[in-house]
């Protein structure tokens, strides 16, 4: 296929057709259409990059956005496809979308955990949820705490996400992603309301909204249950996975058909990010780990097995 307006238009039509079929498909895993969506998106981006005409900023932003859509919507199935897409994004950003970061790395700070009194976590809770100063052993966790909510105070205090790579810094989050990236967001305070919807949004624009006073906005934007650490790989290095999540508990009686995610670690690492007042209804699938990293943007309503807080 020779680069040109007609071939670009044909690829755009293929991407659109695959997207419509993915939306309407009743198949449990329409992998062929996911592959078509991802492959066509990559070829479309490559055509822009090898075009004899210089790629302008707007086209480069569209290229990065198109590749992010392939990661988010289709999952980029196929051996090496996700790595190829990530590499294309980085190369496009380096060549056409440079940005001088406002973020300056900070040295790691060793902190100590301080005792905390037992206080209720949920306003609807029928009892007090314990806050533990010292992490329990794996044996104690399995036999005494596995099916009960509890909080480990200060557990994440020495993570890079709390120190030299602070997730509460919008400048750091921008520097990790680079320009042109997009994410899925929920529009509305609660997905159970009639006016709730979803859309794709620029990562930079999303952070800009969250930095502003949310009381001045009629619309709440909320990124929920998104695999952000897979999309922005540097964030994965900022957290340390607690050993508790590898204890392989049995499926709960209320969900006997539960199976761990089908990946090498058997983990689903998702991120939630939203303004104060955002509601995240209680989750009960086993096991769930909630992290509160003192992000000024986020508000949690935990209802799961345990929570780590700073």
């Amino acid at each position: 296929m020779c680069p040109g307006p007609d071939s670009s238009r044909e690829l755009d039509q293929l991407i659109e057709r695959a997207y419509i079929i993915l939306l309407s498909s009743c198949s449990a895993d329409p992998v062929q259409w996911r592959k078509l969506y991802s492959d066509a998106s990559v070829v479309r981006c490559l055509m822009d990059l090898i075009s004899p005409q210089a790629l302008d900023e707007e086209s480069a932003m569209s290229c990065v956005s198109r590749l992010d859509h392939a990661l988010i919507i289709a999952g980029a199935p196929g051996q090496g496809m996700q790595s190829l897409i990530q590499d294309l994004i980085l190369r496009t950003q380096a060549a056409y979308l440079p940005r001088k970061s406002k973020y300056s790395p900070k040295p790691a700070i060793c902190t100590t955990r301080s005792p905390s009194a037992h206080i209720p976590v949920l306003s609807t809770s029928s009892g007090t949820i314990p806050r533990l100063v010292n992490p329990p052993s794996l044996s104690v966790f399995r036999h005494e705490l596995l099916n009960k909510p509890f909080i480990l105070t200060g557990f994440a205090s020495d993570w890079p996400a709390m120190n030299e790579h602070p997730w509460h810094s919008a400048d750091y989050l921008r520097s990790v992603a680079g320009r042109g990236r997009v994410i899925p967001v929920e529009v509305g305070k609660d997905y159970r309301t009639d006016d709730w919807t979803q859309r794709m949004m620029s990562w930079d624009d999303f952070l800009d909204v969250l930095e502003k006073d949310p009381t001045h906005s009629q619309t709440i934007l909320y990124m929920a249950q998104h695999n952000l650490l897979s999309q922005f790989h540097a964030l994965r290095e900022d957290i340390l996975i607690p050993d508790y999540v590898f204890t392989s508990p049995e499926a709960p009686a209320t969900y006997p058909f539960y199976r761990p995610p089908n990946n090498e670690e058997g983990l689903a690492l998702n991120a939630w990010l939203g303004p104060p007042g955002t509601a995240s209804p209680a989750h009960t699938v086993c096991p769930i780990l909630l992290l509160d990293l003192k992000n000024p943007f986020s508000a949690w309503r935990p209802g799961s097995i345990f929570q780590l807080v700073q």
Side-chain angles (χ1 to χ4, degrees), residues 123-245:
S123 60
T124 56
S125 176
S126 60
T128 298
I129 297 177
R131 299 171 66 96
L132 308 181
V133 176
N134 298 313
S137 66
L138 289 179
S139 177
V140 170
F141 171 75
R142 287 184 59 88
H143 294 95
E144 300 181 18
L145 299 168
L146 182 59
N147 295 310
K148 301 177 182 178
F150 65 92
I151 297 173
L152 292 179
T153 302
F155 191 92
S157 59
D158 56 352
W159 289 8
M162 291 297 302
N163 296 289
E164 64 268 34
H165 296 158
W167 285 11
H168 61 75
S169 166
D171 287 337
Y172 171 68
L173 296 178
R174 290 189 184 93
S175 70
V176 165
R179 296 177 62 195
R181 305 306 297 267
V182 297
I183 59 164
V185 297
E186 299 184 0
V187 183
K189 185 176 181 179
D190 192 323
Y191 71 83
R192 295 166 295 186
T193 59
D194 294 336
D195 59 349
W196 176 89
T197 186
Q198 294 174 296
R199 65 182 174 94
M200 301 293 283
M201 183 176 186
S202 160
W203 175 242
D204 284 342
D205 290 346
F206 180 64
L207 292 177
D208 287 343
V209 170
L210 295 185
E211 283 188 297
K212 298 176 182 177
D213 185 351
T215 60
H216 293 167
S217 175
Q218 296 291 329
T219 303
I220 290 181
L221 300 175
Y222 181 37
M223 187 193 73
Q225 201 164 317
H226 172 51
N227 193 352
L228 189 69
L229 279 66
S230 175
Q231 188 179 2
F232 304 154
H233 287 171
L235 292 179
R236 176 61 181 82
E237 304 301 319
D238 293 343
I239 69 170
L240 306 177
I241 303 299
D243 292 336
Y244 304 121
V245 303

Side-chain angles (χ1 to χ4, degrees), residues 85-104:
I85 290 177
Q86 294 282 6
D87 185 62
L88 281 174
I89 289 174
L90 292 176
R91 288 175 180 268
T92 303
Q93 289 175 327
Y96 303 102
L97 301 171
R99 173 167 63 189
K100 186 176 180 180
S101 175
K102 298 179 182 179
Y103 170 74
S104 300

Side-chain angles (χ1 to χ4, degrees), residues 16-64:
E16 180 67 18
R17 182 186 178 195
Y19 176 68
I20 292 174
I21 291 177
L22 286 173
L23 286 180
S24 60
S25 176
C26 297
S27 172
D29 186 15
V31 65
Q32 298 305 323
W33 291 104
R34 292 170 53 217
K35 285 179 62 66
L36 176 61
Y37 187 102
S38 302
D39 293 351
S41 298
V42 168
V43 174
R44 179 68 173 82
C45 180
L46 288 173
M47 289 183 62
D48 286 343
L49 293 175
I50 65 174
S51 172
Q53 297 180 349
L55 196 66
D56 58 25
E57 181 176 292
E58 182 179 356
S59 297
M61 296 279 280
S62 296
C63 182
V64 172

